[in-house]
Tab-separated table of all heavy atoms in Angstrom:
chain	number	residue	atom	x	y	z
A	281	ALA	N	-23.563	14.893	-8.609
A	281	ALA	CA	-24.293	15.513	-9.725
A	281	ALA	C	-25.800	15.341	-9.558
A	281	ALA	O	-26.279	14.310	-9.091
A	281	ALA	CB	-23.842	14.894	-11.046
A	282	GLY	N	-26.535	16.384	-9.937
A	282	GLY	CA	-27.987	16.308	-9.977
A	282	GLY	C	-28.691	16.316	-8.640
A	282	GLY	O	-29.889	16.007	-8.559
A	283	ILE	N	-27.978	16.657	-7.566
A	283	ILE	CA	-28.627	16.674	-6.243
A	283	ILE	C	-28.492	18.042	-5.575
A	283	ILE	O	-28.541	18.155	-4.350
A	283	ILE	CB	-28.098	15.553	-5.322
A	283	ILE	CG1	-26.566	15.443	-5.378
A	283	ILE	CG2	-28.715	14.231	-5.674
A	283	ILE	CD1	-26.014	14.344	-4.493
A	284	GLY	N	-28.305	19.077	-6.418
A	284	GLY	CA	-28.426	20.441	-5.938
A	284	GLY	C	-27.185	21.102	-5.381
A	284	GLY	O	-27.249	22.260	-4.947
A	285	TYR	N	-26.076	20.412	-5.407
A	285	TYR	CA	-24.882	20.984	-4.779
A	285	TYR	C	-24.438	22.277	-5.464
A	285	TYR	O	-24.333	23.336	-4.833
A	285	TYR	CB	-23.740	19.972	-4.767
A	285	TYR	CG	-23.947	18.780	-3.851
A	285	TYR	CD1	-25.126	18.621	-3.119
A	285	TYR	CD2	-22.966	17.808	-3.710
A	285	TYR	CE1	-25.311	17.532	-2.282
A	285	TYR	CE2	-23.139	16.718	-2.864
A	285	TYR	CZ	-24.313	16.581	-2.160
A	285	TYR	OH	-24.497	15.505	-1.331
A	286	GLU	N	-24.160	22.173	-6.755
A	286	GLU	CA	-23.679	23.357	-7.476
A	286	GLU	C	-24.759	24.436	-7.559
A	286	GLU	O	-24.453	25.631	-7.471
A	286	GLU	CB	-23.209	22.960	-8.874
A	286	GLU	CG	-21.860	22.249	-8.886
A	286	GLU	CD	-21.318	22.063	-10.283
A	286	GLU	OE1	-21.928	21.288	-11.050
A	286	GLU	OE2	-20.287	22.685	-10.609
A	287	GLU	N	-26.002	24.007	-7.709
A	287	GLU	CA	-27.098	24.981	-7.800
A	287	GLU	C	-27.190	25.841	-6.543
A	287	GLU	O	-27.589	27.014	-6.601
A	287	GLU	CB	-28.435	24.255	-8.016
A	287	GLU	CG	-28.572	23.578	-9.374
A	287	GLU	CD	-28.045	22.147	-9.372
A	287	GLU	OE1	-27.143	21.827	-8.548
A	287	GLU	OE2	-28.536	21.343	-10.173
A	288	GLN	N	-26.800	25.275	-5.417
A	288	GLN	CA	-26.855	26.015	-4.157
A	288	GLN	C	-25.539	26.740	-3.841
A	288	GLN	O	-25.388	27.308	-2.765
A	288	GLN	CB	-27.217	25.069	-3.005
A	288	GLN	CG	-28.601	24.456	-3.140
A	288	GLN	CD	-29.688	25.498	-3.311
A	288	GLN	OE1	-29.692	26.529	-2.626
A	288	GLN	NE2	-30.606	25.244	-4.238
A	289	GLY	N	-24.612	26.692	-4.806
A	289	GLY	CA	-23.376	27.454	-4.643
A	289	GLY	C	-22.200	26.715	-4.049
A	289	GLY	O	-21.179	27.319	-3.711
A	290	ILE	N	-22.316	25.394	-3.908
A	290	ILE	CA	-21.189	24.621	-3.380
A	290	ILE	C	-20.152	24.422	-4.477
A	290	ILE	O	-20.469	23.974	-5.585
A	290	ILE	CB	-21.660	23.262	-2.833
A	290	ILE	CG1	-22.487	23.481	-1.564
A	290	ILE	CG2	-20.489	22.337	-2.532
A	290	ILE	CD1	-23.055	22.219	-0.974
A	291	THR	N	-18.931	24.757	-4.175
A	291	THR	CA	-17.832	24.598	-5.131
A	291	THR	C	-17.521	23.117	-5.325
A	291	THR	O	-17.403	22.363	-4.350
A	291	THR	CB	-16.574	25.317	-4.613
A	291	THR	OG1	-16.879	26.698	-4.427
A	291	THR	CG2	-15.423	25.169	-5.597
A	292	LEU	N	-17.384	22.679	-6.570
A	292	LEU	CA	-16.970	21.313	-6.875
A	292	LEU	C	-15.662	21.331	-7.651
A	292	LEU	O	-15.391	22.263	-8.406
A	292	LEU	CB	-18.039	20.581	-7.703
A	292	LEU	CG	-19.404	20.327	-7.066
A	292	LEU	CD1	-20.283	19.521	-8.005
A	292	LEU	CD2	-19.268	19.615	-5.725
A	293	ASP	N	-14.856	20.313	-7.448
A	293	ASP	CA	-13.592	20.157	-8.166
A	293	ASP	C	-13.561	18.755	-8.765
A	293	ASP	O	-13.388	17.782	-8.053
A	293	ASP	CB	-12.411	20.370	-7.217
A	293	ASP	CG	-11.059	20.212	-7.914
A	293	ASP	OD1	-11.029	20.112	-9.157
A	293	ASP	OD2	-10.028	20.187	-7.203
A	294	ARG	N	-13.785	18.660	-10.074
A	294	ARG	CA	-13.865	17.370	-10.773
A	294	ARG	C	-14.916	16.465	-10.125
A	294	ARG	O	-14.769	15.249	-10.062
A	294	ARG	CB	-12.504	16.671	-10.789
A	294	ARG	CG	-11.449	17.372	-11.628
A	294	ARG	CD	-10.084	16.798	-11.381
A	294	ARG	NE	-9.699	16.942	-9.985
A	294	ARG	CZ	-8.875	16.124	-9.346
A	294	ARG	NH1	-8.347	15.092	-9.972
A	294	ARG	NH2	-8.561	16.326	-8.077
A	295	GLY	N	-15.975	17.089	-9.630
A	295	GLY	CA	-17.066	16.353	-9.014
A	295	GLY	C	-16.946	16.202	-7.511
A	295	GLY	O	-17.928	15.894	-6.832
A	296	PHE	N	-15.764	16.392	-6.966
A	296	PHE	CA	-15.549	16.279	-5.526
A	296	PHE	C	-15.890	17.595	-4.828
A	296	PHE	O	-15.916	18.657	-5.445
A	296	PHE	CB	-14.099	15.895	-5.226
A	296	PHE	CG	-13.744	14.487	-5.633
A	296	PHE	CD1	-13.167	14.231	-6.873
A	296	PHE	CD2	-13.976	13.417	-4.770
A	296	PHE	CE1	-12.844	12.935	-7.256
A	296	PHE	CE2	-13.655	12.124	-5.142
A	296	PHE	CZ	-13.091	11.885	-6.391
A	297	VAL	N	-16.117	17.516	-3.512
A	297	VAL	CA	-16.471	18.688	-2.724
A	297	VAL	C	-15.266	19.115	-1.884
A	297	VAL	O	-14.959	18.475	-0.875
A	297	VAL	CB	-17.669	18.400	-1.788
A	297	VAL	CG1	-18.041	19.651	-0.999
A	297	VAL	CG2	-18.873	17.893	-2.582
A	298	PRO	N	-14.582	20.181	-2.276
A	298	PRO	CA	-13.453	20.660	-1.461
A	298	PRO	C	-13.951	21.164	-0.108
A	298	PRO	O	-15.032	21.767	-0.006
A	298	PRO	CB	-12.876	21.812	-2.292
A	298	PRO	CG	-13.396	21.595	-3.677
A	298	PRO	CD	-14.749	20.975	-3.501
A	299	VAL	N	-13.170	20.919	0.929
A	299	VAL	CA	-13.522	21.346	2.281
A	299	VAL	C	-12.290	21.927	2.970
A	299	VAL	O	-11.160	21.703	2.536
A	299	VAL	CB	-14.067	20.169	3.131
A	299	VAL	CG1	-15.396	19.681	2.592
A	299	VAL	CG2	-13.052	19.025	3.182
A	300	ASN	N	-12.512	22.666	4.069
A	300	ASN	CA	-11.381	23.137	4.866
A	300	ASN	C	-11.034	22.079	5.910
A	300	ASN	O	-11.604	20.980	5.907
A	300	ASN	CB	-11.688	24.496	5.497
A	300	ASN	CG	-12.863	24.441	6.483
A	300	ASN	OD1	-13.275	23.365	6.923
A	300	ASN	ND2	-13.399	25.603	6.819
A	301	GLU	N	-10.126	22.401	6.821
A	301	GLU	CA	-9.681	21.382	7.781
A	301	GLU	C	-10.786	20.975	8.748
A	301	GLU	O	-10.692	19.939	9.412
A	301	GLU	CB	-8.452	21.856	8.554
A	301	GLU	CG	-8.684	23.009	9.493
A	301	GLU	CD	-7.479	23.327	10.360
A	301	GLU	OE1	-6.354	22.842	10.066
A	301	GLU	OE2	-7.653	24.063	11.334
A	302	SER	N	-11.858	21.768	8.809
A	302	SER	CA	-13.014	21.403	9.638
A	302	SER	C	-14.104	20.712	8.828
A	302	SER	O	-15.217	20.522	9.312
A	302	SER	CB	-13.590	22.654	10.320
A	302	SER	OG	-12.647	23.222	11.201
A	303	LEU	N	-13.769	20.348	7.585
A	303	LEU	CA	-14.669	19.651	6.670
A	303	LEU	C	-15.887	20.488	6.302
A	303	LEU	O	-16.952	19.969	5.948
A	303	LEU	CB	-15.099	18.292	7.250
A	303	LEU	CG	-13.938	17.303	7.482
A	303	LEU	CD1	-14.415	16.058	8.199
A	303	LEU	CD2	-13.264	16.924	6.172
A	304	GLN	N	-15.735	21.813	6.347
A	304	GLN	CA	-16.794	22.728	5.931
A	304	GLN	C	-16.657	23.022	4.441
A	304	GLN	O	-15.551	23.212	3.931
A	304	GLN	CB	-16.696	24.032	6.724
A	304	GLN	CG	-16.973	23.865	8.215
A	304	GLN	CD	-16.617	25.103	9.009
A	304	GLN	OE1	-15.500	25.609	8.903
A	304	GLN	NE2	-17.556	25.596	9.804
A	305	THR	N	-17.773	23.070	3.753
A	305	THR	CA	-17.788	23.391	2.330
A	305	THR	C	-17.707	24.907	2.148
A	305	THR	O	-17.520	25.648	3.117
A	305	THR	CB	-19.068	22.862	1.658
A	305	THR	OG1	-20.184	23.639	2.114
A	305	THR	CG2	-19.300	21.394	1.981
A	306	SER	N	-17.905	25.362	0.932
A	306	SER	CA	-17.874	26.798	0.635
A	306	SER	C	-19.112	27.523	1.162
A	306	SER	O	-19.181	28.753	1.106
A	306	SER	CB	-17.739	27.015	-0.875
A	306	SER	OG	-18.744	26.300	-1.582
Side-chain angles (χ1 to χ4, degrees):
I283 45 180
Y285 291 2
E286 285 189 293
E287 292 89 333
Q288 296 306 317
I290 291 177
T291 301
L292 296 184
D293 180 9
R294 293 169 300 152
F296 291 94
V297 181
V299 293
N300 63 16
E301 67 173 14
S302 297
L303 298 173
Q304 294 169 307
T305 70
S306 53

